[in-house]
Amino acid sequence: MYAIEVEHLNKSFAVGKEQVQVLKDLSFGVEKEDFLSIMGPSGCGKSTLLYLLGG
Ligand SMILES: Nc1ncnc2c1ncn2[C@@H]1O[C@H](COP(=O)(O)OP(=O)(O)O)[C@@H](O)[C@H]1O
Ligand SMILES: [Mg+2]
């Protein structure tokens, strides 16, 4: 069993009339006592993922 488990997570924002998909079918598991770094360029969705994990 994972401490954190994400299955097929999608997130999009409405920007005007458009939907901008930020997270696309994202799946991963984090084991208890794992250390995890989330890396990527500015705007790739790191903060969005953390907000969603926080509920
Ligand atoms: N509340 C919001 N409304 C519209 N677009 C957003 C919102 N929050 C984030 N975005 C867009 O989603 C994308 C990912 O943002 P973000 O998660 O903050 O990236 P990071 O933390 O990796 O820099 C960016 O293109 C950003 O402009
Ligand atoms: Mg950020």
CSV table of all heavy atoms in Angstrom, one decimal:
chain,number,residue,atom,x,y,z
A,1,MET,N,0.8,-1.2,0.0
A,1,MET,CA,0.0,0.0,0.0
A,1,MET,C,0.9,1.3,0.0
A,1,MET,O,1.8,1.3,0.7
A,1,MET,CB,-0.9,0.0,1.2
A,1,MET,CG,-2.1,0.9,1.2
A,1,MET,SD,-3.1,0.8,2.7
A,1,MET,CE,-3.0,2.5,3.2
A,2,TYR,N,0.6,2.2,-0.9
A,2,TYR,CA,1.3,3.5,-0.9
A,2,TYR,C,0.8,4.5,0.1
A,2,TYR,O,-0.3,4.4,0.5
A,2,TYR,CB,1.1,4.1,-2.3
A,2,TYR,CG,1.8,3.4,-3.4
A,2,TYR,CD1,1.0,2.8,-4.4
A,2,TYR,CD2,3.1,3.3,-3.5
A,2,TYR,CE1,1.5,2.1,-5.5
A,2,TYR,CE2,3.7,2.6,-4.6
A,2,TYR,CZ,2.9,2.0,-5.5
A,2,TYR,OH,3.5,1.3,-6.6
A,3,ALA,N,1.8,5.3,0.6
A,3,ALA,CA,1.4,6.4,1.4
A,3,ALA,C,0.6,7.5,0.6
A,3,ALA,O,-0.4,8.1,1.2
A,3,ALA,CB,2.6,7.1,2.1
A,4,ILE,N,1.0,7.7,-0.6
A,4,ILE,CA,0.2,8.6,-1.5
A,4,ILE,C,0.1,7.8,-2.8
A,4,ILE,O,1.1,7.3,-3.3
A,4,ILE,CB,1.0,9.9,-1.8
A,4,ILE,CG1,1.2,10.7,-0.5
A,4,ILE,CG2,0.2,10.7,-2.8
A,4,ILE,CD1,2.1,11.9,-0.7
A,5,GLU,N,-1.1,7.7,-3.3
A,5,GLU,CA,-1.4,7.1,-4.6
A,5,GLU,C,-2.2,8.0,-5.5
A,5,GLU,O,-3.3,8.4,-5.0
A,5,GLU,CB,-2.0,5.7,-4.4
A,5,GLU,CG,-2.1,4.9,-5.7
A,5,GLU,CD,-2.5,3.4,-5.4
A,5,GLU,OE1,-2.9,3.1,-4.3
A,5,GLU,OE2,-2.3,2.7,-6.4
A,6,VAL,N,-1.7,8.2,-6.7
A,6,VAL,CA,-2.5,9.0,-7.6
A,6,VAL,C,-2.8,8.2,-8.8
A,6,VAL,O,-1.9,7.5,-9.4
A,6,VAL,CB,-1.6,10.3,-8.0
A,6,VAL,CG1,-2.2,11.0,-9.2
A,6,VAL,CG2,-1.4,11.2,-6.9
A,7,GLU,N,-4.0,8.2,-9.2
A,7,GLU,CA,-4.4,7.4,-10.4
A,7,GLU,C,-5.2,8.2,-11.4
A,7,GLU,O,-6.3,8.7,-11.1
A,7,GLU,CB,-5.3,6.2,-10.0
A,7,GLU,CG,-4.5,5.1,-9.2
A,7,GLU,CD,-5.3,3.8,-9.0
A,7,GLU,OE1,-6.6,3.9,-9.1
A,7,GLU,OE2,-4.7,2.8,-8.8
A,8,HIS,N,-4.6,8.3,-12.6
A,8,HIS,CA,-5.3,9.0,-13.7
A,8,HIS,C,-5.8,10.4,-13.3
A,8,HIS,O,-7.0,10.7,-13.6
A,8,HIS,CB,-6.4,8.1,-14.2
A,8,HIS,CG,-6.0,6.7,-14.6
A,8,HIS,ND1,-5.1,6.5,-15.6
A,8,HIS,CD2,-6.2,5.5,-14.0
A,8,HIS,CE1,-4.9,5.2,-15.7
A,8,HIS,NE2,-5.5,4.6,-14.7
A,9,LEU,N,-4.9,11.2,-12.7
A,9,LEU,CA,-5.3,12.5,-12.3
A,9,LEU,C,-5.3,13.5,-13.5
A,9,LEU,O,-4.3,13.5,-14.3
A,9,LEU,CB,-4.3,13.0,-11.3
A,9,LEU,CG,-4.6,14.4,-10.7
A,9,LEU,CD1,-5.9,14.5,-10.0
A,9,LEU,CD2,-3.4,14.9,-9.8
A,10,ASN,N,-6.3,14.2,-13.7
A,10,ASN,CA,-6.4,15.3,-14.7
A,10,ASN,C,-6.8,16.6,-14.1
A,10,ASN,O,-7.6,16.6,-13.1
A,10,ASN,CB,-7.5,14.9,-15.8
A,10,ASN,CG,-7.1,13.7,-16.6
A,10,ASN,OD1,-6.3,13.8,-17.5
A,10,ASN,ND2,-7.6,12.6,-16.3
A,11,LYS,N,-6.2,17.7,-14.5
A,11,LYS,CA,-6.7,19.0,-14.1
A,11,LYS,C,-6.6,20.0,-15.2
A,11,LYS,O,-5.5,20.0,-15.9
A,11,LYS,CB,-5.8,19.4,-12.9
A,11,LYS,CG,-6.1,20.8,-12.4
A,11,LYS,CD,-7.4,20.9,-11.7
A,11,LYS,CE,-7.7,22.4,-11.3
A,11,LYS,NZ,-9.1,22.5,-10.7
A,12,SER,N,-7.6,20.7,-15.4
A,12,SER,CA,-7.6,21.8,-16.4
A,12,SER,C,-8.2,23.1,-15.8
A,12,SER,O,-9.0,23.0,-14.8
A,12,SER,CB,-8.3,21.4,-17.7
A,12,SER,OG,-9.7,21.0,-17.4
A,13,PHE,N,-7.8,24.2,-16.4
A,13,PHE,CA,-8.3,25.5,-15.9
A,13,PHE,C,-9.0,26.1,-17.1
A,13,PHE,O,-8.6,26.0,-18.3
A,13,PHE,CB,-7.1,26.4,-15.5
A,13,PHE,CG,-6.4,26.0,-14.3
A,13,PHE,CD1,-5.2,25.4,-14.3
A,13,PHE,CD2,-7.0,26.2,-13.0
A,13,PHE,CE1,-4.5,25.0,-13.2
A,13,PHE,CE2,-6.4,25.8,-11.9
A,13,PHE,CZ,-5.1,25.2,-11.9
A,14,ALA,N,-10.0,26.8,-16.8
A,14,ALA,CA,-10.7,27.6,-17.8
A,14,ALA,C,-10.0,28.9,-18.0
A,14,ALA,O,-9.8,29.7,-17.0
A,14,ALA,CB,-12.2,27.9,-17.4
A,15,VAL,N,-9.5,29.2,-19.2
A,15,VAL,CA,-8.9,30.5,-19.5
A,15,VAL,C,-9.7,31.1,-20.6
A,15,VAL,O,-9.6,30.7,-21.8
A,15,VAL,CB,-7.4,30.3,-19.9
A,15,VAL,CG1,-6.7,31.6,-20.2
A,15,VAL,CG2,-6.6,29.6,-18.8
A,16,GLY,N,-10.5,32.1,-20.2
A,16,GLY,CA,-11.5,32.6,-21.2
A,16,GLY,C,-12.4,31.5,-21.6
A,16,GLY,O,-13.0,30.8,-20.7
A,17,LYS,N,-12.6,31.3,-22.9
A,17,LYS,CA,-13.4,30.2,-23.3
A,17,LYS,C,-12.7,28.9,-23.5
A,17,LYS,O,-13.3,27.8,-23.8
A,17,LYS,CB,-14.1,30.6,-24.7
A,17,LYS,CG,-15.1,31.7,-24.5
A,17,LYS,CD,-15.7,32.1,-25.9
A,17,LYS,CE,-16.6,33.3,-25.8
A,17,LYS,NZ,-17.0,33.8,-27.1
A,18,GLU,N,-11.4,28.9,-23.4
A,18,GLU,CA,-10.6,27.7,-23.6
A,18,GLU,C,-10.4,26.9,-22.3
A,18,GLU,O,-10.4,27.5,-21.2
A,18,GLU,CB,-9.2,28.1,-24.1
A,18,GLU,CG,-9.1,29.0,-25.3
A,18,GLU,CD,-9.1,28.1,-26.6
A,18,GLU,OE1,-8.2,27.3,-26.7
A,18,GLU,OE2,-10.1,28.3,-27.4
A,19,GLN,N,-10.2,25.6,-22.4
A,19,GLN,CA,-9.8,24.8,-21.3
A,19,GLN,C,-8.3,24.5,-21.5
A,19,GLN,O,-7.9,23.9,-22.5
A,19,GLN,CB,-10.6,23.5,-21.3
A,19,GLN,CG,-12.0,23.7,-20.8
A,19,GLN,CD,-12.2,23.9,-19.3
A,19,GLN,OE1,-11.5,23.4,-18.5
A,19,GLN,NE2,-13.1,24.8,-19.0
A,20,VAL,N,-7.5,24.8,-20.5
A,20,VAL,CA,-6.0,24.5,-20.6
A,20,VAL,C,-5.8,23.3,-19.7
A,20,VAL,O,-5.9,23.4,-18.4
A,20,VAL,CB,-5.2,25.7,-20.2
A,20,VAL,CG1,-3.7,25.3,-20.2
A,20,VAL,CG2,-5.4,26.9,-21.1
A,21,GLN,N,-5.4,22.2,-20.3
A,21,GLN,CA,-5.1,21.0,-19.4
A,21,GLN,C,-3.7,21.0,-18.9
A,21,GLN,O,-2.8,21.1,-19.7
A,21,GLN,CB,-5.4,19.7,-20.2
A,21,GLN,CG,-5.4,18.5,-19.3
A,21,GLN,CD,-6.0,17.3,-20.0
A,21,GLN,OE1,-6.1,17.2,-21.2
A,21,GLN,NE2,-6.3,16.2,-19.2
A,22,VAL,N,-3.6,21.0,-17.6
A,22,VAL,CA,-2.3,21.1,-17.0
A,22,VAL,C,-1.7,19.8,-16.6
A,22,VAL,O,-0.6,19.5,-16.8
A,22,VAL,CB,-2.4,22.1,-15.7
A,22,VAL,CG1,-1.0,22.1,-15.0
A,22,VAL,CG2,-2.8,23.4,-16.1
A,23,LEU,N,-2.6,18.9,-16.0
A,23,LEU,CA,-2.1,17.6,-15.6
A,23,LEU,C,-3.0,16.6,-16.5
A,23,LEU,O,-4.2,16.7,-16.5
A,23,LEU,CB,-2.4,17.3,-14.1
A,23,LEU,CG,-1.7,18.3,-13.2
A,23,LEU,CD1,-2.1,18.1,-11.7
A,23,LEU,CD2,-0.2,18.2,-13.3
A,24,LYS,N,-2.2,15.7,-17.1
A,24,LYS,CA,-2.9,14.8,-18.1
A,24,LYS,C,-2.6,13.3,-17.7
A,24,LYS,O,-1.5,12.8,-17.8
A,24,LYS,CB,-2.3,15.0,-19.5
A,24,LYS,CG,-2.6,16.4,-20.0
A,24,LYS,CD,-1.9,16.7,-21.3
A,24,LYS,CE,-2.0,18.1,-21.7
A,24,LYS,NZ,-1.2,18.5,-22.8
A,25,ASP,N,-3.6,12.7,-17.2
A,25,ASP,CA,-3.6,11.2,-16.9
A,25,ASP,C,-2.4,10.9,-16.1
A,25,ASP,O,-1.6,10.0,-16.5
A,25,ASP,CB,-3.6,10.5,-18.2
A,25,ASP,CG,-4.0,9.0,-18.0
A,25,ASP,OD1,-4.7,8.7,-17.0
A,25,ASP,OD2,-3.5,8.1,-18.8
A,26,LEU,N,-2.2,11.6,-15.0
A,26,LEU,CA,-1.0,11.4,-14.1
A,26,LEU,C,-1.2,10.3,-13.1
A,26,LEU,O,-2.2,10.3,-12.3
A,26,LEU,CB,-0.7,12.7,-13.4
A,26,LEU,CG,0.5,12.8,-12.6
A,26,LEU,CD1,1.8,12.6,-13.4
A,26,LEU,CD2,0.6,14.1,-11.8
A,27,SER,N,-0.3,9.4,-13.1
A,27,SER,CA,-0.4,8.3,-12.1
A,27,SER,C,1.0,8.0,-11.5
A,27,SER,O,2.0,8.0,-12.2
A,27,SER,CB,-0.9,7.0,-12.7
A,27,SER,OG,-2.1,7.1,-13.3
A,28,PHE,N,1.0,7.9,-10.1
A,28,PHE,CA,2.2,7.5,-9.4
A,28,PHE,C,1.9,7.0,-8.0
A,28,PHE,O,0.8,7.3,-7.5
A,28,PHE,CB,3.3,8.6,-9.4
A,28,PHE,CG,2.9,9.8,-8.7
A,28,PHE,CD1,3.1,10.0,-7.4
A,28,PHE,CD2,2.3,10.9,-9.4
A,28,PHE,CE1,2.7,11.1,-6.7
A,28,PHE,CE2,1.9,12.0,-8.8
A,28,PHE,CZ,2.2,12.2,-7.4
A,29,GLY,N,2.8,6.3,-7.4
A,29,GLY,CA,2.7,6.0,-6.0
A,29,GLY,C,3.9,6.4,-5.2
A,29,GLY,O,5.0,6.3,-5.8
A,30,VAL,N,3.7,6.8,-4.0
A,30,VAL,CA,4.9,7.2,-3.1
A,30,VAL,C,4.8,6.3,-1.9
A,30,VAL,O,3.8,6.2,-1.2
A,30,VAL,CB,4.7,8.7,-2.7
A,30,VAL,CG1,6.0,9.0,-1.8
A,30,VAL,CG2,4.6,9.6,-3.9
A,31,GLU,N,5.9,5.6,-1.7
A,31,GLU,CA,6.0,4.6,-0.6
A,31,GLU,C,6.2,5.4,0.7
A,31,GLU,O,6.8,6.5,0.7
A,31,GLU,CB,7.2,3.7,-0.8
A,31,GLU,CG,7.3,2.9,-2.0
A,31,GLU,CD,6.6,1.6,-2.0
A,31,GLU,OE1,5.9,1.3,-0.9
A,31,GLU,OE2,6.6,0.8,-2.9
A,32,LYS,N,5.7,4.9,1.8
A,32,LYS,CA,6.1,5.4,3.1
A,32,LYS,C,7.6,5.5,3.3
A,32,LYS,O,8.3,4.6,2.9
A,32,LYS,CB,5.5,4.5,4.2
A,32,LYS,CG,5.5,5.0,5.6
A,32,LYS,CD,4.8,4.0,6.5
A,32,LYS,CE,5.0,4.6,8.0
A,32,LYS,NZ,5.0,3.5,9.0
A,33,GLU,N,8.0,6.7,3.8
A,33,GLU,CA,9.5,7.0,4.0
A,33,GLU,C,10.2,7.3,2.8
A,33,GLU,O,11.4,7.5,2.8
A,33,GLU,CB,10.2,5.8,4.8
A,33,GLU,CG,9.5,5.7,6.2
A,33,GLU,CD,10.1,4.5,7.0
A,33,GLU,OE1,10.9,3.7,6.5
A,33,GLU,OE2,9.6,4.3,8.1
A,34,ASP,N,9.6,7.3,1.6
A,34,ASP,CA,10.2,7.8,0.4
A,34,ASP,C,10.4,9.3,0.5
A,34,ASP,O,9.6,10.0,1.2
A,34,ASP,CB,9.3,7.6,-0.8
A,34,ASP,CG,9.6,6.3,-1.5
A,34,ASP,OD1,10.4,5.6,-1.1
A,34,ASP,OD2,8.9,6.1,-2.5
A,35,PHE,N,11.4,9.8,-0.1
A,35,PHE,CA,11.6,11.3,-0.3
A,35,PHE,C,11.3,11.5,-1.8
A,35,PHE,O,11.9,10.8,-2.7
A,35,PHE,CB,13.0,11.8,0.1
A,35,PHE,CG,13.2,11.8,1.5
A,35,PHE,CD1,13.5,10.7,2.3
A,35,PHE,CD2,13.0,13.0,2.2
A,35,PHE,CE1,13.7,10.8,3.6
A,35,PHE,CE2,13.2,13.1,3.6
A,35,PHE,CZ,13.5,12.0,4.3
A,36,LEU,N,10.6,12.6,-2.1
A,36,LEU,CA,10.1,12.8,-3.5
A,36,LEU,C,10.5,14.3,-3.8
A,36,LEU,O,10.2,15.2,-3.1
A,36,LEU,CB,8.6,12.6,-3.6
A,36,LEU,CG,7.9,12.9,-4.9
A,36,LEU,CD1,8.3,11.9,-5.9
A,36,LEU,CD2,6.4,12.9,-4.7
A,37,SER,N,11.1,14.4,-5.0
A,37,SER,CA,11.2,15.8,-5.6
A,37,SER,C,10.3,15.9,-6.8
A,37,SER,O,10.3,15.0,-7.6
A,37,SER,CB,12.7,16.0,-6.0
A,37,SER,OG,13.5,16.0,-4.9
A,38,ILE,N,9.7,17.0,-6.9
A,38,ILE,CA,8.9,17.3,-8.1
A,38,ILE,C,9.6,18.4,-8.9
A,38,ILE,O,9.8,19.5,-8.4
A,38,ILE,CB,7.5,17.8,-7.7
A,38,ILE,CG1,6.8,16.7,-6.9
A,38,ILE,CG2,6.7,18.1,-9.0
A,38,ILE,CD1,5.5,17.1,-6.3
A,39,MET,N,10.1,18.0,-10.1
A,39,MET,CA,10.9,18.9,-10.9
A,39,MET,C,10.3,19.2,-12.2
A,39,MET,O,9.6,18.3,-12.8
A,39,MET,CB,12.3,18.3,-11.1
A,39,MET,CG,13.1,18.0,-9.8
A,39,MET,SD,14.6,17.0,-10.0
A,39,MET,CE,15.6,18.2,-11.0
A,40,GLY,N,10.6,20.4,-12.7
A,40,GLY,CA,10.1,20.7,-14.1
A,40,GLY,C,10.1,22.2,-14.3
A,40,GLY,O,10.2,23.0,-13.3
A,41,PRO,N,10.0,22.7,-15.5
A,41,PRO,CA,10.1,24.1,-15.7
A,41,PRO,C,8.9,24.9,-15.2
A,41,PRO,O,7.8,24.3,-14.8
A,41,PRO,CB,10.1,24.2,-17.3
A,41,PRO,CG,9.5,22.9,-17.7
A,41,PRO,CD,9.8,21.9,-16.7
A,42,SER,N,9.0,26.2,-15.0
A,42,SER,CA,8.0,27.0,-14.5
A,42,SER,C,6.7,26.8,-15.4
A,42,SER,O,6.8,26.8,-16.6
A,42,SER,CB,8.4,28.5,-14.6
A,42,SER,OG,7.4,29.3,-14.1
A,43,GLY,N,5.6,26.6,-14.7
A,43,GLY,CA,4.3,26.5,-15.4
A,43,GLY,C,4.0,25.1,-15.8
A,43,GLY,O,2.9,24.9,-16.5
A,44,CYS,N,4.8,24.1,-15.4
A,44,CYS,CA,4.5,22.8,-15.9
A,44,CYS,C,3.4,22.1,-15.0
A,44,CYS,O,3.0,21.0,-15.4
A,44,CYS,CB,5.7,21.9,-16.0
A,44,CYS,SG,6.4,21.4,-14.4
A,45,GLY,N,3.1,22.7,-13.8
A,45,GLY,CA,2.0,22.1,-13.0
A,45,GLY,C,2.4,21.6,-11.7
A,45,GLY,O,1.7,20.9,-11.0
A,46,LYS,N,3.6,21.9,-11.2
A,46,LYS,CA,4.1,21.4,-9.9
A,46,LYS,C,3.2,21.9,-8.8
A,46,LYS,O,2.8,21.1,-7.9
A,46,LYS,CB,5.6,21.9,-9.7
A,46,LYS,CG,6.5,21.5,-10.8
A,46,LYS,CD,7.9,22.0,-10.5
A,46,LYS,CE,8.0,23.5,-10.4
A,46,LYS,NZ,7.8,24.2,-11.7
A,47,SER,N,3.0,23.2,-8.7
A,47,SER,CA,2.1,23.7,-7.6
A,47,SER,C,0.7,23.1,-7.7
A,47,SER,O,0.1,22.8,-6.7
A,47,SER,CB,2.1,25.2,-7.6
A,47,SER,OG,3.4,25.7,-7.3
A,48,THR,N,0.2,23.0,-8.9
A,48,THR,CA,-1.2,22.5,-9.1
A,48,THR,C,-1.3,21.1,-8.5
A,48,THR,O,-2.2,20.7,-7.8
A,48,THR,CB,-1.5,22.5,-10.6
A,48,THR,OG1,-1.5,23.9,-11.1
A,48,THR,CG2,-2.9,21.9,-10.8
A,49,LEU,N,-0.2,20.3,-8.8
A,49,LEU,CA,-0.2,18.9,-8.3
A,49,LEU,C,-0.2,18.9,-6.7
A,49,LEU,O,-1.0,18.2,-6.1
A,49,LEU,CB,1.0,18.2,-8.8
A,49,LEU,CG,1.2,16.8,-8.2
A,49,LEU,CD1,0.1,15.9,-8.5
A,49,LEU,CD2,2.5,16.2,-8.7
A,50,LEU,N,0.6,19.8,-6.2
A,50,LEU,CA,0.7,19.8,-4.7
A,50,LEU,C,-0.6,20.3,-4.1
A,50,LEU,O,-1.0,19.7,-3.0
A,50,LEU,CB,1.9,20.7,-4.3
A,50,LEU,CG,3.3,20.1,-4.6
A,50,LEU,CD1,4.4,21.2,-4.3
A,50,LEU,CD2,3.5,18.8,-3.8
A,51,TYR,N,-1.3,21.3,-4.7
A,51,TYR,CA,-2.5,21.7,-4.2
A,51,TYR,C,-3.5,20.5,-4.2
A,51,TYR,O,-4.3,20.4,-3.2
A,51,TYR,CB,-3.1,22.9,-5.0
A,51,TYR,CG,-2.3,24.1,-5.0
A,51,TYR,CD1,-2.2,24.9,-6.1
A,51,TYR,CD2,-1.6,24.6,-3.8
A,51,TYR,CE1,-1.5,26.1,-6.1
A,51,TYR,CE2,-0.9,25.7,-3.8
A,51,TYR,CZ,-0.8,26.5,-5.0
A,51,TYR,OH,-0.1,27.7,-5.0
A,52,LEU,N,-3.6,19.8,-5.3
A,52,LEU,CA,-4.5,18.7,-5.4
A,52,LEU,C,-4.2,17.6,-4.4
A,52,LEU,O,-5.1,17.0,-3.8
A,52,LEU,CB,-4.5,18.2,-6.8
A,52,LEU,CG,-5.1,19.1,-7.8
A,52,LEU,CD1,-4.9,18.6,-9.3
A,52,LEU,CD2,-6.6,19.3,-7.6
A,53,LEU,N,-2.9,17.3,-4.2
A,53,LEU,CA,-2.5,16.3,-3.2
A,53,LEU,C,-2.9,16.7,-1.8
A,53,LEU,O,-3.3,15.9,-1.0
A,53,LEU,CB,-1.0,16.0,-3.2
A,53,LEU,CG,-0.5,15.3,-4.5
A,53,LEU,CD1,1.1,15.2,-4.3
A,53,LEU,CD2,-1.1,14.0,-4.7
A,54,GLY,N,-2.9,18.0,-1.5
A,54,GLY,CA,-3.3,18.5,-0.2
A,54,GLY,C,-4.8,18.5,0.0
A,54,GLY,O,-5.3,18.7,1.1
A,55,GLY,N,-5.6,18.2,-1.0
A,55,GLY,CA,-7.0,18.1,-0.9
A,55,GLY,C,-7.7,19.5,-0.9
A,55,GLY,O,-8.8,19.6,-0.4
B,1,LIG,N1,-6.0,29.3,-11.0
B,1,LIG,C1,-5.5,29.2,-12.3
B,1,LIG,N2,-6.2,29.6,-13.4
B,1,LIG,C2,-5.8,29.4,-14.6
B,1,LIG,N3,-4.6,28.9,-14.9
B,1,LIG,C3,-3.8,28.5,-13.9
B,1,LIG,C4,-4.2,28.6,-12.5
B,1,LIG,N4,-3.3,28.0,-11.7
B,1,LIG,C5,-2.3,27.6,-12.6
B,1,LIG,N5,-2.6,27.9,-13.8
B,1,LIG,C6,-1.8,27.5,-15.0
B,1,LIG,O1,-1.5,26.2,-14.9
B,1,LIG,C7,-0.1,25.9,-15.3
B,1,LIG,C8,0.6,25.3,-14.2
B,1,LIG,O2,0.8,26.2,-13.1
B,1,LIG,P1,1.6,25.8,-11.8
B,1,LIG,O3,1.0,24.6,-11.2
B,1,LIG,O4,1.5,27.0,-10.9
B,1,LIG,O5,3.0,25.6,-12.4
B,1,LIG,P2,4.4,25.4,-11.6
B,1,LIG,O6,4.2,25.4,-10.1
B,1,LIG,O7,5.1,24.2,-12.1
B,1,LIG,O8,5.2,26.6,-12.0
B,1,LIG,C9,0.4,27.3,-15.8
B,1,LIG,O9,0.2,27.4,-17.2
B,1,LIG,C10,-0.5,28.3,-15.0
B,1,LIG,O10,-0.6,29.5,-15.7
B,2,MG,MG,4.8,26.6,-8.5
